[in-house]
Amino acid sequence: MSPQLSLTDFDDNGLRDLSALTDAEREAYVAVERQSVPVRQLARETNRRPGTIGNLLKRARLRLDDREAEVSDTW
């Protein structure tokens, strides 16, 4: 039986299942891709470096494109 998903596991259009993302990846993806928050602004707001946000965003995109094998290459 699969775990129950919440509304936060889907993007704002309800089309992409975001449950495969880590909390940090989901936060970066939703903020940058869906809410158009600039990477540097999100970095300041989350006390992370812009490069970290970029890496989280890249991993989120790879996971959502079902390219899981490539995610480890970003570490």
Side-chain angles (χ1 to χ4, degrees):
M1 181 179 261
S2 64
Q4 183 177 359
L5 298 175
S6 69
L7 290 176
T8 59
D9 292 330
F10 293 89
D11 73 4
D12 59 348
N13 295 322
L15 299 176
R16 298 196 78 171
D17 180 359
L18 304 181
S19 64
L21 304 180
T22 66
D23 290 341
E25 291 167 348
R26 186 179 308 113
E27 178 182 30
Y29 179 81
V30 169
V32 174
E33 293 293 325
R34 298 297 177 206
Q35 298 173 343
S36 300
V37 176
V39 169
R40 290 185 186 277
Q41 179 182 335
L42 182 61
R44 283 191 303 273
E45 291 173 2
T46 59
N47 200 28
R48 292 184 173 115
R49 295 175 186 240
T52 300
I53 298 297
N55 286 335
L56 290 168
L57 190 56
K58 180 179 180 180
R59 289 198 308 264
R61 289 173 178 153
L62 289 171
R63 287 186 204 278
L64 291 173
D65 290 341
D66 202 24
R67 294 166 53 193
E68 190 70 33
E70 296 174 55
V71 172
S72 62
D73 293 341
T74 64
W75 288 98

